[in-house]
Amino acid sequence: MRPQFTSPDAHSSSPALSSSSSSSSFSSSSDRRINALVRHLDSSAMDPNNNSSISASPTSAHANSVFAHVVRAPEDPILGVTVAYNKDPSPAKLNLGVGAYRTEEGKPLVLNVVRKAEQLLVNDRSRVKEYLPIVGLADFNKLSAKLILGADSPPIQENRITTVQCLSGTGSLRVGGEFLAKHYHERTIYIPQPTWGNHTKVFTLAGLSVKSYRYYDPATRGLDFQGLLEDLRSAPAGAIVLLHACAHNPTGVDPTLEQWEQIRQLVRSRGLLPFFDSAYQGFASGSLDADAESVRRFAADGGECLIAQSYAKNMGLYGERVGALSIVCKTADVASKVESQVKLVIRPMYSNPPIHGASIVATILKDRDLFNEWTIELKAMADRIISMRHQLFESLRAKGTPGDWSHIIKQIGMFTFTGLNSEQVAFMTKEYHIYMTSDGRISMAGLSSRTVPHLTEAIHAAVTRVA
């Protein structure tokens, strides 16, 4: 599109140009110059031999990019598994790296109750697409707090909890981390070793210093409980401690209720601040209440804590990015002040959260029939994963695979920490087209009765042929 030029006389009030003859003369002269310039530009653009036209800008396609120095980043160690899987043309390939539920047929699942809730939302003509408040959907926040803490929880009854809608569990952790970096006196957070691969990055970028405490014992493929207690006992007073509420990722190893009570007492006696990551409520055991017991013990003792919730797994809302951050405080007044500051963290980060996923969750949680239907579907998912654990254990035992594989049925939740080393994992990928993270973590939700024999063969070969 050519630039539109306007004759100077159209805007001038100078007496020298006020007469009609002067104006006419100026206008005519100006028009001729403009027309000549336009013809020159047109002819230059049409002439392929003309090299004297406008030179290329420094950022044109033929010049060196200002980003040429940028180094290609490695694939995410978890999401990169799926990238490699998608490139593999083998019909026998199996993806056990994905942290998402799959049906017995290996397909993604949308819960029936989610489809019903969405249909109700679509049919409600009064619904609009206006911005949510910074803290998100009010019903969603209240119902999320009740789901994780229980309706009769003291913090809820005494109104000393603030809950804000965030972008799934990851966003909840990040918002909580940034709030603590700005407003908490101790900026060190202790995370279990090992833990979800994104935890270190999330908290580091939030402004916290990340250290670890012992958690998993490779020798027993279980909990290193004494190591855990020793490390938390030596942590500085006031340090933040990240705790997996249930179904520890990646190990699937959880403390017993008795061990949780010892952890609670130690945390409170040392003045540590617990930050729970609850990504699998109801998805681990099939019971929403049982999977929230660890959090509820801490919330009921009068102390303070933070809780990050995700609805990705237990409602299958992976792509909706639905989560919540709750901060339990000593008083209602403190909770109100905390919320005001959390809003200042969220506003420049993403302004306010999306409405659709939170509306699905709220619709299900506040309707008795839909809630009951959800708990049935949720237990069915958990039960299938438990069944896959037993099938794999029995298959390995029947095969005579060397080693004790009982940890597969002792661990809980979506993932199993197999104990396979990185060389064995690479062997299974190369020879059997089975994809998992290099630490030997497999997603039990990615298995089916049809694929258990294939995985058994691969594990047996890896254990017997690769050191």
Side-chain angles (χ1 to χ4, degrees):
M1 180 178 178
R2 295 172 180 167
Q4 298 297 308
F5 295 93
T6 304
S7 175
D9 66 312
H11 306 285
S12 176
S13 59
S14 169
L17 299 177
S18 62
S19 68
S20 61
S21 60
S22 297
S23 176
S24 175
S25 173
F26 180 87
S27 176
S28 177
S29 174
S30 177
D31 287 347
R32 285 196 300 272
R33 288 196 299 269
I34 292 171
N35 289 335
L37 176 59
V38 169
R39 286 196 301 272
H40 171 72
L41 291 174
D42 284 347
S43 63
S44 296
M46 299 279 294
D47 184 1
N49 297 318
N50 182 11
N51 296 321
S52 62
S53 58
I54 301 173
S55 60
S57 70
T59 56
S60 73
H62 302 290
N64 290 331
S65 171
V66 296
F67 304 112
H69 66 285
V70 174
V71 177
R72 185 179 303 280
E75 292 283 0
D76 181 273
I78 298 175
L79 302 181
V81 172
T82 298
V83 174
Y85 168 83
N86 289 336
K87 293 178 181 178
D88 189 343
S90 172
K93 66 181 180 179
L94 178 61
N95 187 0
L96 299 179
V98 62
Y101 183 81
R102 293 291 181 264
T103 65
E104 178 67 19
E105 294 72 36
K107 303 295 184 183
L109 175 67
V110 178
L111 300 185
N112 289 327
V113 71
V114 167
R115 293 197 186 279
K116 287 183 179 180
E118 285 188 305
Q119 194 60 56
L120 288 172
L121 295 172
V122 169
N123 292 342
D124 184 357
R125 303 296 294 179
S126 68
R127 284 180 53 80
V128 294
K129 299 293 185 181
E130 293 292 300
Y131 290 123
L132 286 178
I134 295 174
V135 297
L137 192 66
D139 278 353
F140 168 84
N141 292 337
K142 292 177 183 177
L143 293 164
S144 292
K146 288 182 180 180
L147 184 71
I148 190 65
L149 297 184
D152 58 349
S153 174
I156 293 178
Q157 296 295 321
E158 297 160 14
N159 200 31
R160 53 185 178 85
I161 180 175
T162 178
T163 302
V164 297
Q165 180 189 338
C166 296
L167 304 182
S168 202
T170 307
S172 303
L173 293 166
R174 179 62 182 267
V175 170
E178 290 209 12
F179 167 77
L180 291 172
K182 294 176 185 294
H183 300 284
Y184 186 59
H185 67 275
E186 176 59 62
R187 291 190 175 88
T188 301
I189 184 167
Y190 284 76
I191 64 177
Q193 178 58 40
T195 190
W196 179 47
N198 217 20
H199 276 146
T200 299
K201 301 170 190 173
V202 167
F203 290 121
T204 298
L205 291 174
L208 298 175
S209 174
V210 178
K211 295 185 178 180
S212 64
Y213 62 89
R214 281 172 284 176
Y215 189 89
Y216 178 76
D217 184 355
T220 64
R221 295 176 184 175
L223 182 65
D224 182 0
F225 189 56
Q226 290 308 312
L228 180 154
L229 294 178
E230 289 174 9
D231 289 349
L232 293 188
R233 195 174 289 119
S234 62
I240 309 158
V241 179
L242 181 76
L243 300 167
H244 293 230
C246 67
H248 181 274
N249 178 7
T251 69
V253 175
D254 284 354
T256 64
L257 289 180
E258 292 76 16
Q259 290 171 332
W260 269 120
E261 181 57 25
Q262 292 184 59
I263 294 170
R264 187 193 67 78
Q265 292 179 13
L266 174 59
V267 165
R268 293 311 191 195
S269 67
R270 293 285 301 142
L272 306 177
L273 180 63
F275 193 156
F276 283 95
D277 186 354
S278 178
Y280 302 96
Q281 187 184 359
F283 201 83
S285 67
S287 166
L288 289 162
D289 292 329
D291 291 349
E293 180 61 28
S294 61
V295 180
R296 292 177 182 181
R297 286 181 178 233
F298 279 79
D301 68 5
E304 297 176 306
C305 64
L306 291 84
I307 309 151
Q309 285 173 269
S310 168
Y311 290 95
K313 309 298 191 300
N314 57 16
M315 281 197 188
L317 298 175
Y318 305 95
E320 299 292 352
R321 312 309 295 145
V322 194
L325 171 69
S326 291
I327 304 179
V328 176
C329 303
K330 287 284 189 179
T331 68
D333 181 58
V334 171
S336 176
K337 293 175 181 176
V338 165
E339 180 174 301
S340 73
Q341 291 295 335
V342 171
K343 288 162 69 174
L344 296 186
V345 173
I346 293 172
R347 176 61 170 155
M349 187 184 294
Y350 55 85
S351 194
N352 58 296
I355 192 171
H356 186 65
S359 297
I360 294 172
V361 173
T363 299
I364 292 171
L365 295 184
K366 69 185 177 183
D367 183 282
R368 183 183 299 273
D369 291 337
L370 291 178
F371 181 85
N372 290 336
E373 184 174 349
W374 173 49
T375 60
I376 293 171
E377 290 194 84
L378 179 55
K379 189 173 189 309
M381 290 192 290
D383 286 348
R384 196 187 87 75
I385 291 174
I386 294 171
S387 173
M388 288 300 101
R389 289 184 178 278
H390 285 275
Q391 287 187 41
L392 179 58
F393 170 69
E394 294 296 340
S395 182
L396 288 167
R397 188 167 67 171
K399 182 75 174 175
T401 303
D404 178 9
W405 297 94
S406 61
H407 60 281
I408 294 176
I409 53 177
K410 292 176 182 176
Q411 295 171 5
I412 191 171
M414 177 172 282
F415 301 107
T416 285
F417 221 43
T418 60
L420 297 168
N421 60 43
S422 58
E423 290 79 13
Q424 291 167 332
V425 170
F427 168 83
M428 291 170 61
T429 300
K430 180 180 179 183
E431 301 296 331
Y432 289 86
H433 305 275
I434 294 176
Y435 292 82
M436 66 185 83
T437 53
S438 61
D439 58 7
R441 185 197 80 167
I442 62 173
S443 171
M444 300 307 298
L447 267 182
S448 68
S449 300
R450 178 180 57 84
T451 56
V452 163
H454 181 52
L455 178 60
T456 300
E457 290 289 338
I459 292 177
H460 185 87
V463 170
T464 56
R465 294 166 55 184
V466 182

